[in-house]
Amino acid sequence: MIDQDGSASPTPSSSPVLTGQRASRILFVLVAAGGAAALSWELLWQVHAALALGVSAAGTAATLAVLMGGMAVGAVVIGARLRRGGEFNPLRIYAGLELTIGLSGLLLTPLFALLEQIDSALYQSWPGGAVVWHLIGITAILGPPAVAMGASVPVFGLLARRYQISISALYSWNTAGAALGVLGAAFLVLPALGMFQSGMLIAAINLTIALAAWRLPCPQESQDQPSARSALPTQSSTLAFPFACFVVFATGFATFGLEVAWFRSLRAAYFSTTYTFAILLAAVLVPLALAAAKVNQLRARGWRLGTVLTAAAVAILLATPVVERFDFIRNYYVVSIVPSWFVQTLLVIGPAIFLLGLPLPWLLDEQTQANSWARLYAANTAGAICGSLAAAWGLLPALGFARTAWLIGLIVLGGAVLLCAPKRRWQAAAAGVFSLAIAFVFESGVGRDRTLGPPSGYQLISFAETPDSTVSVVEHKGRRHLFIDGFSASDETGAANYMAWMGRLPMLLHDDPQDALVICFGTGQTSHALREERPQQLDIVDLNRAVFEFAPLFPTNHDVLDDPSTRAIVMDGRAWLRRTKQQYDVITLEPMPPTFAGVNALYSQEFYELAARRLRTGGVIAQWLPIHLVDRQQAAAISAAFQAVFPDSILWLDPASLTGILVGRRSSDAPPLGSQWPGLDRTRPGRTLDPESIRAAALLDAQGLREFASLGPAVTDDNQLLAYNWSIQPGLAEFHSRAQANLDRIHAIVEKHLIGRGENLTSAAPLDAKGAPPHSLRPRVFTAR
């Protein structure tokens, strides 16, 4: 007999059945471990692809299409092969699939390194073909493991038939393992091991699964053995198979479309960190796993697919007004604890995802042939691809995320009406219309009256939903702010004083700067300040086209993009440095916060090595060091990576905002950086500090910066210290405490250097009320050389 959870019931008088039960439990564990490994690989694939090819919306879409499309192809191909008959041991097939995934993982690092070289070479001859070779390269590297992952689903069906369990039970364990895998990889494995060793561990898991599956006994299938379907408490299917494929396509479309739409608001509430992504993905996978586990119990209680989809549509429409307001929860009820984020998200979006997750395992259990399982899974996966791409590239830019969610809810409602009995269709329609009315009444006006992120009192000036982010301009007390995914990326307040010095400092420290590069445009204040120092050519690179389009809304950039000496380039900054042959005298960059997803790539030692290759001898680079956003270990790790490539470097602290700026120089025969400021001899407009204050704000020379960097290892592409570090984006109190901790350490190093020179510190005051080192300490760091 088969229990409602899909597991085999023991028969006390038959020891072979007991053996089979133990084998079934082992099988469940193997399938769960396979799911965990699969999602762990997906995290690594994302990082590898971004490092090798750069971050772009088109590249992300191409990667998604390859991964999901590969899974659909894998399912269809093996389903067709199994349909032709023959003697198959499904455990041996499953072992081969896991072996393929594991061996493919072992080749990730060299293959992506090769792809990076090919990308750089091809860009010179065909700049417009980046998306094409991105698609080709990703297909070559990730296609085989993706095909193997998708091929597992029809094999699950064969295993379910042999072990007399339901395919939905195996699907549930696999999805639950995936949820654990994404959380385990993000919070435990990657922080502890880094990219390469994590890949080795995950590959070892795949190879262990393959070995165990190969050795696990597989029951023989016999004619008198009842099928898994007949042993389960099922209802007779009323859906023709083509319509069943349509239903799972629609639910796949809805699930992934909602993931894209809802994640916009959730990212604004929890910030765009790698942990946020892991939490939100797990909050989707857990309901899907639970749905597959409970589907047979719900069918036994008389549930119908029409009722399920009606409830799903209602849940989508009612959840959306709550999802819209998650940034309010952050602004007024900040709880910086990961479990609370997960629970909050799960409670709000979980019911809708659970209901959308029921049709696929429901309909899989109704089928008995591998080809049917394969086609259903492929239809669901194709729907997922279409839902993701349609939401990101069409619906979100046109409708906004709330109305996109409404439209998806109405699509699900349409499927429900078709599935319901004629007498119940009006009830389903009425429930959906009533829910839509509630969603409409309680809409928060995102994109019309407000944007995601800022608290009330901010006036919305302009708003754009792009394929990969939400960008808006707001005004508060006469000052304008640029928000990207809920984070204030740049503004015109006094706290932004350091932005101008991000552009001026490297120019002032260079003898004769001619060509300059700004990575990350923001509101354009850094670019304008750098332009005022009069380079001959200024390149500005940003991966978000919307920030360039919004530039005229910020008077503080003085229309820098209209200057004939300025060239705006829409591209990932790291990708530009790798692809271009242009040499620069000055490079300056102020990315999003270091702990945000993908930003580790602009703070790693490998990035600085790439930047050094694009600097001429004596060229100067400036990097933002937000001491209020990183803890002491992270600040040290950033500084260590920077100084590993630019040993001739200093730390400059903006007197107005107390924001740190690392400045380094490519090797030259000049005196130590910071001991001379040749640019101060050039008269330029717009400087807000006098020469003495500019020199005084250079608190740490190369020796002091080495000591400051000694707390931790350098940030690298492999260790991903900033992306995976247990450091959640802090609230206001944590901003102040982090800034004070870093300033205390800077002050201690300055003080130590002065003592080492025999200077009297009896009159030196501690940090002042603003947390700044006393002014008397600042100009003395570079004395007595």
Side-chain angles (χ1 to χ4, degrees):
M1 291 183 62
I2 306 299
D3 291 336
Q4 289 182 348
D5 64 358
S7 62
S9 299
T11 303
S13 60
S14 175
S15 59
V17 175
L18 291 175
T19 302
Q21 185 185 46
R22 286 194 295 268
S24 297
R25 290 172 179 170
I26 295 174
L27 178 62
F28 283 134
V29 172
L30 295 180
V31 167
L39 263 291
S40 300
W41 278 127
E42 290 193 24
L43 288 184
L44 265 62
W45 292 343
Q46 290 176 357
V47 177
H48 276 295
L51 290 173
L53 299 169
V55 177
S56 69
T60 301
T63 302
L64 172 71
V66 169
L67 291 178
M68 302 297 289
M71 293 184 206
V73 169
V76 170
V77 168
I78 199 167
R81 176 66 185 89
L82 295 174
R83 183 186 183 185
R84 292 199 292 267
E87 291 295 327
F88 297 108
N89 182 335
L91 278 172
R92 298 289 173 90
I93 299 174
Y94 184 56
L97 297 175
E98 290 292 331
L99 180 64
T100 300
I101 297 169
L103 293 179
S104 298
L106 294 175
L107 298 174
L108 276 183
T109 300
L111 287 178
F112 271 109
L114 176 62
L115 181 58
E116 182 176 335
Q117 295 175 11
I118 294 172
D119 174 77
S120 299
L122 289 176
Y123 183 82
Q124 299 302 315
S125 58
W126 187 22
V131 175
V132 176
W133 61 72
H134 187 140
L135 185 62
I136 295 172
I138 291 295
T139 301
I141 296 174
L142 303 185
V147 167
M149 289 177 183
S152 300
V153 174
V155 177
F156 288 169
L158 296 180
L159 290 170
R161 192 157 61 198
R162 293 288 185 96
Y163 283 90
Q164 283 298 283
I165 55 179
S166 67
I167 187 174
S168 59
L170 288 175
Y171 189 80
S172 172
W173 278 78
N174 186 255
T175 309
L180 291 175
V182 71
L183 293 175
F187 286 91
L188 297 176
V189 177
L190 278 166
L193 301 179
M195 291 284 291
F196 181 76
Q197 291 185 13
S198 294
M200 295 299 101
L201 176 61
I202 300 167
I205 292 173
N206 287 123
L207 298 179
T208 302
I209 295 169
L211 179 61
W214 188 273
R215 295 177 60 86
L216 189 66
C218 185
Q220 294 295 318
E221 188 172 7
S222 60
Q223 294 297 324
D224 57 346
Q225 186 180 35
S227 70
R229 178 183 175 185
S230 64
L232 290 168
T234 64
Q235 63 186 73
S236 59
S237 175
T238 57
L239 297 183
F241 187 77
F243 191 56
C245 290
F246 168 77
V247 169
V248 295
F249 177 93
T251 54
F253 181 99
T255 302
F256 276 70
L258 287 172
E259 185 177 321
V260 172
W262 281 348
F263 276 23
R264 290 297 174 90
S265 178
L266 298 171
R267 285 192 319 190
Y270 300 144
F271 296 109
S272 296
T273 66
T274 50
Y275 289 139
T276 299
F277 173 78
I279 292 166
L280 299 183
L281 185 55
V284 170
L285 291 170
V286 167
L288 292 177
L290 187 61
K294 296 297 181 182
V295 64
N296 289 316
Q297 294 182 18
L298 298 178
R299 293 178 65 174
R301 294 174 183 175
W303 283 42
R304 299 293 185 269
L305 278 178
T307 305
V308 167
L309 292 187
T310 301
V314 170
I316 292 167
L317 295 169
L318 296 183
T320 298
V322 182
V323 173
E324 288 182 68
R325 290 167 171 80
F326 262 63
D327 59 325
F328 289 163
I329 297 173
R330 181 201 71 191
N331 288 329
Y332 298 107
Y333 306 99
V334 176
V335 183
S336 296
I337 303 173
V338 168
S340 73
W341 293 9
F342 177 72
V343 172
Q344 290 168 10
T345 305
L346 192 60
L347 288 176
V348 174
I349 72 172
I353 301 299
F354 172 83
L355 292 163
L356 287 172
L358 286 172
L360 178 60
W362 183 306
L363 293 169
L364 284 173
D365 274 343
E366 290 188 349
Q367 308 304 316
T368 59
Q369 299 300 319
N371 194 43
S372 299
W373 295 318
R375 290 160 63 192
L376 281 173
Y377 178 74
N380 183 257
T381 305
I385 297 172
C386 294
S388 298
L389 299 182
W393 290 85
L395 299 179
L396 278 169
L399 303 176
F401 90 87
R403 286 176 169 80
T404 294
W406 295 358
L407 179 58
I408 292 171
L410 292 177
I411 291 172
V412 174
L413 180 65
V417 170
L418 291 176
L419 285 171
C420 285
K423 294 182 179 180
R424 295 184 178 272
R425 287 176 179 171
W426 71 268
Q427 297 173 336
V433 171
F434 180 72
S435 301
L436 178 62
I438 294 176
F440 180 81
V441 169
F442 288 98
E443 183 193 9
S444 69
V446 173
R448 184 184 66 250
D449 303 320
R450 75 176 192 93
T451 188
L452 298 170
S456 58
Y458 284 68
Q459 179 187 357
L460 181 63
I461 304 299
S462 191
F463 180 88
E465 289 275 17
T466 71
D468 55 355
S469 62
T470 299
V471 186
S472 55
V473 179
V474 298
E475 188 170 295
H476 181 64
K477 296 181 180 180
R479 303 284 188 175
R480 289 189 172 179
H481 304 251
L482 177 70
F483 275 80
I484 300 177
D485 287 334
F487 181 81
S488 180
S490 188
D491 58 56
E492 297 180 321
T493 65
N497 181 71
Y498 75 92
M499 294 180 185
W501 290 101
M502 288 290 306
R504 294 189 187 276
L505 283 179
M507 296 290 287
L508 294 177
L509 286 165
H510 197 283
D511 291 332
D512 184 25
Q514 300 297 314
D515 299 292
L517 170 66
V518 174
I519 296 176
C520 303
F521 181 71
T523 57
Q525 295 174 73
T526 297
S527 299
H528 165 64
L530 194 152
R531 178 186 57 167
E532 284 195 321
E533 297 296 331
R534 299 179 190 172
Q536 289 187 358
Q537 176 67 37
L538 172 59
D539 288 343
I540 306 172
V541 178
D542 200 297
L543 62 85
N544 198 321
R545 187 181 300 274
V547 299
F548 290 133
E549 295 172 351
F550 286 164
L553 301 177
F554 292 94
T556 50
N557 66 47
H558 298 274
D559 299 319
V560 63
L561 296 181
D562 295 334
D563 192 303
S565 67
T566 297
R567 176 173 57 161
I569 302 160
V570 179
M571 189 181 295
D572 174 79
R574 177 165 172 156
W576 171 253
L577 286 176
R578 177 171 47 76
R579 290 167 173 169
T580 186
K581 298 300 182 183
Q582 174 72 44
Q583 294 293 112
Y584 296 101
D585 299 303
V586 164
I587 297 175
T588 184
L589 66 155
E590 183 203 353
M592 294 291 278
T595 55
F596 275 27
V599 182
N600 191 98
L602 297 179
Y603 279 93
S604 69
Q605 185 171 328
E606 291 85 351
F607 169 77
Y608 295 129
E609 291 169 352
L610 181 58
R613 292 197 293 272
R614 292 292 165 260
L615 283 172
R616 298 186 178 103
T617 300
V620 181
I621 182 172
Q623 171 68 286
W624 182 45
L625 178 60
I627 59 175
H628 60 296
L629 295 179
V630 293
D631 59 32
R632 297 202 319 168
Q633 287 72 25
Q634 292 166 341
I638 291 171
S639 303
F642 189 83
Q643 201 171 53
V645 180
F646 301 104
D648 187 12
S649 52
I650 64 173
L651 173 62
W652 192 89
L653 204 68
D654 176 46
S657 64
L658 300 180
T659 296
I661 301 175
L662 294 168
V663 189
R665 180 169 57 193
R666 185 179 173 185
S667 59
S668 70
D669 296 329
L673 190 68
S675 60
Q676 296 180 358
W677 294 76
L680 293 177
D681 297 332
R682 302 186 290 264
T683 302
R684 298 289 187 266
R687 296 174 186 167
T688 57
L689 296 174
D690 58 63
E692 179 186 355
S693 298
I694 294 171
R695 293 188 182 96
L699 293 185
L700 298 181
D701 63 1
Q703 180 182 349
L705 189 55
R706 271 193 299 275
E707 186 170 345
F708 182 74
S710 63
L711 278 183
V715 178
T716 66
D717 290 343
D718 182 73
N719 62 33
Q720 292 287 306
L721 280 178
L722 301 178
Y724 296 97
N725 56 50
W726 282 96
S727 178
I728 304 304
Q729 188 66 29
L732 186 60
E734 288 83 0
F735 288 157
H736 292 310
S737 65
R738 288 184 172 188
Q740 187 65 51
N742 282 306
L743 289 169
D744 286 344
R745 180 161 171 76
I746 293 169
H747 175 251
I749 293 172
V750 173
E751 193 173 72
K752 177 181 177 181
H753 281 205
L754 296 179
I755 292 173
R757 295 170 188 152
E759 301 183 35
N760 187 359
L761 280 178
T762 55
S763 62
L767 297 180
D768 63 24
K770 294 183 178 180
H775 191 83
S776 60
L777 290 180
R778 296 175 183 166
R780 301 159 70 185
V781 178
F782 287 95
T783 60
R785 278 201 165 276

